[in-house]
Amino acid sequence: MKSFFAVASLFLLIDAHVLSRADQGTDPAVLNFALTLEHFENAFYRQGLQNFSEYDFKCADFPPWVRGRFQQISEHEQTHVDFLTTALKAAGATPVEPCTYNFPYTDPKSFVDLSAAFETVGSSAYTGAAALIENKDYLTAAGTILVVEARHSSWVDSSVKEQNAWSGPFEVPLDPNAVFTIASSFITACPESNPPLPAKANPSLAVAADARPGQEAALTFEDSGNSSSLFLSFLTSNGPASSPITINGDQKTATIPESVKGTVFAFVTNNNETVSVNNTVAGPALIMFPFGPDGKLLN
Ligand SMILES: *[C@@H]1O[C@H](CO)[C@@H](O)[C@H](O)[C@H]1NC(C)=O
Ligand SMILES: *[C@@H]1O[C@H](CO)[C@@H](O)[C@H](O)[C@H]1NC(C)=O
Ligand SMILES: *[C@@H]1O[C@H](CO)[C@@H](O)[C@H](O)[C@H]1NC(C)=O
Ligand SMILES: *[C@@H]1O[C@H](CO)[C@@H](O)[C@H](O)[C@H]1NC(C)=O
């Protein structure tokens, strides 16, 4: 009942009759992209909470309130799935079905770390998709979801991980291709009957786990050899930053700019202008440089 009322009351924000079925433009595709992400998060939390009991969280040194809050988050994601599915059907569109996933956590701690990453990506995905939504009622509905994803993200980062609740004054807007690049690395297969998404994964980028601002880091990506110079370019909550990539045989490295901190997105670009779909060669990779109340990097 609870989730029915949540869907019913939120649904008042979207008057499906405002749209004639022939004139919805790209909104159904954008809503299906959002639904793809909600299915992803919904599966992640449902599976993780099935895998790990109250006792497992306790043995992993988490306080007793942590799992119950994750349960609430899990219910939100299910409600978002129901809501978007209902909205798409009301608009005469076919909602996407869930994919199968491979979430690489091994214990409650790595589950929490993945949750922190996914909630940040979710917040950036909704922020980036805002400009693609044409109907203002959909925009308001998407805003109500965006803010709750951001609350989840802050709760995981600050209450559970005892790190920074935010990364800076602005959320990073990610375009759908960038979002799908990250999400698709955890997706094994999607139903062939799903309508096509307005997103295509970029070539992947991995940045060495020991990467630190101000230090050189090893990079892994496919170099097509088309560009004479490549850059490791960041989108961060504190603005863009970039540094040249050095390629030496198989070794690719770049110095992580001193200025980056918090949760950041790294791309390989073929110029050092701000990252866009036009200069992206690979990525993004999501990297976390958590910082303390004094602004200094932790660990
Ligand atoms: C969690 O559950 C899924 C689905 O049952 C299973 O495939 C996976 O191996 C489990 N992971 C852990 C760490 O228990
Ligand atoms: C790079 O060059 C290869 C081979 O010439 C070509 O197939 C590919 O499309 C090029 N990629 C880009 C991004 O221009
Ligand atoms: C971009 O790269 C050019 C040369 O490759 C350099 O002169 C310029 O300072 C760089 N700009 C920024 C903002 O890093
Ligand atoms: C990308 O390039 C196209 C074609 O030149 C241009 O219309 C568009 O504004 C560019 N987008 C960005 C984000 O720079």
Side-chain angles (χ1 to χ4, degrees):
M1 267 332 250
K2 194 167 121 233
S3 90
F4 170 77
F5 280 118
V7 172
S9 60
L10 261 178
F11 193 69
L12 294 176
L13 293 170
I14 293 183
D15 179 0
H17 306 286
V18 166
L19 300 167
S20 80
R21 289 187 178 208
D23 184 24
Q24 297 155 26
T26 54
D27 281 348
V30 176
L31 293 191
N32 255 330
F33 184 61
L35 179 56
T36 301
L37 301 178
E38 297 294 350
H39 277 311
F40 178 107
E41 291 188 315
N42 189 32
F44 170 71
Y45 287 110
R46 207 183 42 240
Q47 190 196 86
L49 291 169
Q50 274 165 6
N51 282 340
F52 304 127
S53 65
E54 201 93 49
Y55 182 72
D56 294 328
F57 273 87
K58 180 169 182 257
C59 293
D61 286 335
F62 288 109
W65 42 265
V66 167
R67 191 175 181 282
R69 295 279 183 216
F70 273 118
Q71 244 158 348
Q72 292 172 3
I73 292 178
S74 180
E75 285 163 20
H76 296 170
E77 307 304 359
Q78 179 65 57
T79 305
H80 294 163
V81 165
D82 296 344
F83 169 66
L84 289 167
T85 301
T86 306
L88 277 154
K89 283 184 181 160
T94 306
V96 291
E97 298 288 334
C99 303
T100 51
Y101 311 93
N102 175 24
F103 300 121
Y105 57 81
T106 52
D107 52 21
K109 186 181 175 300
S110 48
F111 169 79
V112 165
D113 289 345
L114 271 181
S115 162
F118 293 162
E119 293 294 347
T120 299
V121 173
S123 302
S124 284
Y126 275 95
T127 306
L132 306 175
I133 299 176
E134 289 166 356
N135 180 295
K136 286 209 160 56
D137 296 325
Y138 287 159
L139 191 54
T140 301
T144 64
I145 295 177
L146 159 60
V147 173
V148 172
E149 301 292 352
R151 289 180 198 273
H152 295 166
S153 170
S154 289
W155 175 78
V156 178
D157 287 339
S158 63
S159 294
V160 185
K161 300 188 71 178
E162 299 183 329
Q163 296 174 351
N164 47 294
W166 43 77
S167 293
F170 300 102
E171 198 68 17
V172 173
L174 283 183
D175 75 78
N177 289 355
V179 173
F180 200 58
T181 304
I182 295 175
S184 64
S185 65
F186 303 100
I187 295 177
T188 13
C190 294
E192 284 188 13
S193 53
N194 275 359
L197 292 177
K200 187 172 151 285
N202 300 325
S204 67
L205 164 66
V207 178
D210 61 359
R212 289 289 172 274
Q215 295 177 18
E216 201 165 72
L219 312 174
T220 310
F221 62 93
E222 285 293 329
D223 175 26
S224 64
N226 303 32
S227 305
S228 56
S229 52
L230 293 173
F231 296 84
L232 186 66
S233 296
F234 290 81
L235 292 178
T236 87
S237 289
N238 298 289
S242 179
S243 70
I245 293 176
T246 305
I247 300 184
N248 199 338
D250 282 347
Q251 310 261 31
K252 305 185 186 80
T253 55
T255 301
I256 308 288
E258 196 95 53
S259 62
V260 305
K261 67 179 183 181
T263 301
V264 302
F265 298 95
F267 298 71
V268 177
T269 54
N270 56 22
N271 60 38
N272 61 1
E273 288 157 25
T274 301
V275 176
S276 80
V277 290
N278 292 343
N279 66 0
T280 296
V281 172
L286 178 152
I287 319 176
M288 289 176 169
F289 300 119
F291 57 90
D294 57 2
K296 295 206 176 93
L297 294 185
L298 300 170
N299 55 60

